């Protein structure tokens, strides 16, 4: 009884490297001949597929599109993250930072000091020495006198 | 002397490029599994060719030289750390549906099987990919493959047989999947 060729011997025969006894068996055995033909067909199909697949002429396929989609998703993700972070930062700043009130107070104080300094008869020294409330009261009363045409003598004309 | 030799050398380089560029790019793509990398490798190989030799043309087997340099360039890329990382996180490349006068169903089935064979090929070891590509895609003899890769013929046959066995297994799975549909 003849033993059929192993896969490796069959492949060696395909490579032209099998021994004479194996080749003689291959010629006489229908099963091995069919297996040999199948091996040949398989190798042709594999080689053809790989040649087609690796051909440099083909254009970028779905993989290129996938890359673009992935890149766009990453950019959008970063944008969303940055946007969310900015919103959170603003909210936390509004809760924690008391600066807006401080700024309003400082502005009103600065306004008062400017008014005081710009009014006649008030020097920086007097402002610094005296009580701010008193100075403001004095200044307000002086302004009302200056505005009054009778008090300033404008009515005589 | 060099001035006179330059145009001849240039012409020789251009001829080599026309003759081998596509082949080398395909080889690099099979070994690396990446089209862009393969393009870069092919360019790198021809730059090496220009740098390596700018004198009068010497009679050497340029096809074998170019193949060897391409394989070495692919190996250099594989050795880089980022390459190993990118390979782990990469899907196999997809096949284009090329119109060869077949029905859309046949084209889709053919493309799918080609894609699966290519994916199976990328699962082979790097040595098996090199050996298979040189033997069956480039059409070299096992002796030439052994010379190019600096391996013994026995080693080439061992790698080659394992690769063939694995790829035939993948092909058999594809055929049985087709039969079930």
């Amino acid at each position: 009884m003849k033993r059929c060729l192993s896969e490796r011997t069959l492949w060696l025969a395909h490579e032209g490297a099998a021994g004479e006894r194996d080749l003689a068996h291959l010629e006489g055995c229908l099963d091995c001949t069919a297996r040999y033909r199948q091996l040949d067909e398989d190798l042709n199909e594999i080689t053809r597929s790989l040649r087609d697949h690796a051909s440099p002429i083909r254009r970028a396929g779905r993989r290129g599109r996938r890359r673009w989609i992935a890149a766009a998703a990453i950019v959008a993700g970063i944008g969303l993250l940055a946007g969310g972070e900015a919103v959170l930062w603003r909210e936390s700043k509004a809760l924690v930072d008391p600066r807006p009130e401080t700024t309003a107070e400082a502005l009103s104080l600065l306004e008062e000091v400017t008014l005081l300094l710009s009014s006649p008869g008030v020097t920086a020294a007097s402002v610094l020495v005296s009580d701010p409330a008193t100075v403001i009261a004095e200044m307000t009363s002086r302004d009302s006198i200056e505005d009054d045409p009778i008090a300033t003598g404008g009515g005589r004309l | 002397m060099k001035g006179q030799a330059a145009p001849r050398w240039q012409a020789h380089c251009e001829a080599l490029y026309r003759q081998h560029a596509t082949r080398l790019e395909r080889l690099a793509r099979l070994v690396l599994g990446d089209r862009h990398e393969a393009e870069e490798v092919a360019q790198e190989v021809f730059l090496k060719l220009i740098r390596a030799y700018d004198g009068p043309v010497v009679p050497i087997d340029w096809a074998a030289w170019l193949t060897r340099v391409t394989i070495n360039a692919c190996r250099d890329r594989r050795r880089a750390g980022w390459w190993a990382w990118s390979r782990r996180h990469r899907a196999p490349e997809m096949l284009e549906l090329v119109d060869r006068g077949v029905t859309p169903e046949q084209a889709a089935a053919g493309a799918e099987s080609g894609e699966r064979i290519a994916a199976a090929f990328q699962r082979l070891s790097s040595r098996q990919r090199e050996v298979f590509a040189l033997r069956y895609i480039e059409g070299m003899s096992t002796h030439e493959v052994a010379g190019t890769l600096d391996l013994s013929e026995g080693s080439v046959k061992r790698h080659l047989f394992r690769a063939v066995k694995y790829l035939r297994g993948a092909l058999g799975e594809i055929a049985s999947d087709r039969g079930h549909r």
Side-chain angles (χ1 to χ4, degrees):
Chain A
M1 185 184 156
K2 288 181 184 175
R3 279 187 66 189
C4 281
L5 300 178
S6 68
E7 286 295 311
R8 187 176 166 81
T9 313
L10 207 65
W11 173 76
L12 281 172
H14 191 270
E15 288 292 299
E20 281 184 20
R21 271 179 65 186
D22 296 329
L23 288 173
H25 172 85
L26 185 61
E27 281 174 15
C29 178
L30 286 175
D31 282 350
C32 286
T33 310
R35 284 169 60 217
Y36 182 88
R37 279 195 196 128
Q38 188 60 52
L39 170 67
D40 189 51
E41 279 173 24
D42 286 356
L43 278 172
N44 282 337
E45 190 172 344
I46 291 164
T47 309
R48 187 168 35 79
S49 293
L50 290 174
R51 276 210 183 102
D52 284 352
H53 181 78
S55 170
I57 299 156
R58 293 184 312 115
R59 290 165 292 145
R62 272 186 255 171
R63 194 179 165 214
R65 287 197 291 277
R66 274 188 191 172
R67 274 186 182 174
W68 276 108
I69 291 165
I74 288 166
V75 169
I78 290 168
L80 278 171
L81 207 68
E85 188 68 23
V87 167
L88 284 173
W89 180 72
R90 269 186 213 155
E91 282 176 1
S92 64
K93 196 183 161 196
L95 285 171
V96 174
D97 197 355
R99 268 186 290 182
E101 286 168 23
T102 316
T103 314
E105 279 173 13
L107 277 172
S108 67
L109 184 69
L110 272 174
E111 204 176 335
E112 284 168 8
V113 170
T114 313
L115 278 169
L116 279 171
L117 289 174
S118 61
S119 59
V122 178
T123 60
S126 66
V127 171
L128 287 171
V129 168
S130 57
D131 178 37
T134 321
V135 176
I136 289 165
E138 275 178 16
M139 190 197 71
T140 317
S141 64
R142 197 173 296 142
D143 282 352
S144 59
I145 292 164
E146 280 172 2
D147 288 344
D148 187 357
I150 298 164
T152 52
R156 285 175 202 164
L157 296 168
Chain B
M1 284 293 282
K2 220 174 187 180
Q4 286 173 347
R8 195 182 157 204
W9 167 242
Q10 240 173 22
H12 190 236
C13 254
E14 280 169 17
L16 282 172
Y17 183 82
R18 277 195 301 274
Q19 208 177 337
H20 298 287
T22 310
R23 177 179 74 83
L24 296 176
E25 200 179 315
R26 187 181 60 199
L27 175 64
R29 192 172 172 186
L30 277 171
V31 172
L32 295 172
D34 187 290
R35 185 167 57 92
H36 302 290
E37 290 285 332
E39 281 170 11
E40 284 176 26
V41 163
Q43 286 166 11
E44 197 181 308
V45 167
F46 281 98
L47 276 175
K48 275 183 186 167
L49 174 77
I50 292 162
R51 278 182 203 146
Y53 186 72
D54 62 350
V57 179
V58 288
I60 68 161
D61 185 356
W62 285 108
W65 187 89
L66 287 167
T67 307
R68 203 161 42 243
V69 172
T70 304
I71 292 288
N72 287 338
C74 291
R75 284 179 182 172
D76 286 346
R77 287 196 176 237
R78 275 204 309 262
R79 279 189 203 116
W82 62 266
W83 170 256
W85 182 88
S86 73
R87 271 195 77 78
R88 279 199 299 273
H89 297 83
R90 186 171 45 189
E93 290 189 346
M94 309 294 274
L95 260 187
E96 287 275 307
L97 297 180
V98 184
D99 182 16
R100 295 192 186 102
V102 292
T103 65
E105 289 79 13
Q106 283 173 324
E112 194 198 332
S113 81
E115 200 177 294
R116 287 175 68 177
I117 289 166
F121 185 78
Q122 291 306 317
R123 284 195 293 272
L124 296 174
S125 72
S126 54
R127 186 70 86 195
Q128 286 170 355
R129 281 203 301 273
E130 287 171 4
V131 164
F132 190 95
L134 291 178
R135 173 69 188 90
Y136 290 113
I137 309 294
E138 294 298 310
M140 286 182 171
S141 67
T142 46
H143 179 74
E144 285 170 332
V145 174
T148 303
L149 299 177
D150 206 15
L151 293 170
S152 69
E153 270 193 69
S155 182
V156 168
K157 282 177 185 169
R158 209 165 35 248
H159 287 301
L160 205 51
F161 177 66
R162 282 179 193 157
V164 168
K165 198 178 170 186
Y166 184 80
L167 291 173
R168 286 188 78 199
L171 196 65
E173 280 175 22
I174 295 163
S176 71
D177 284 356
R178 270 190 213 157
H180 284 304
R181 282 177 197 169

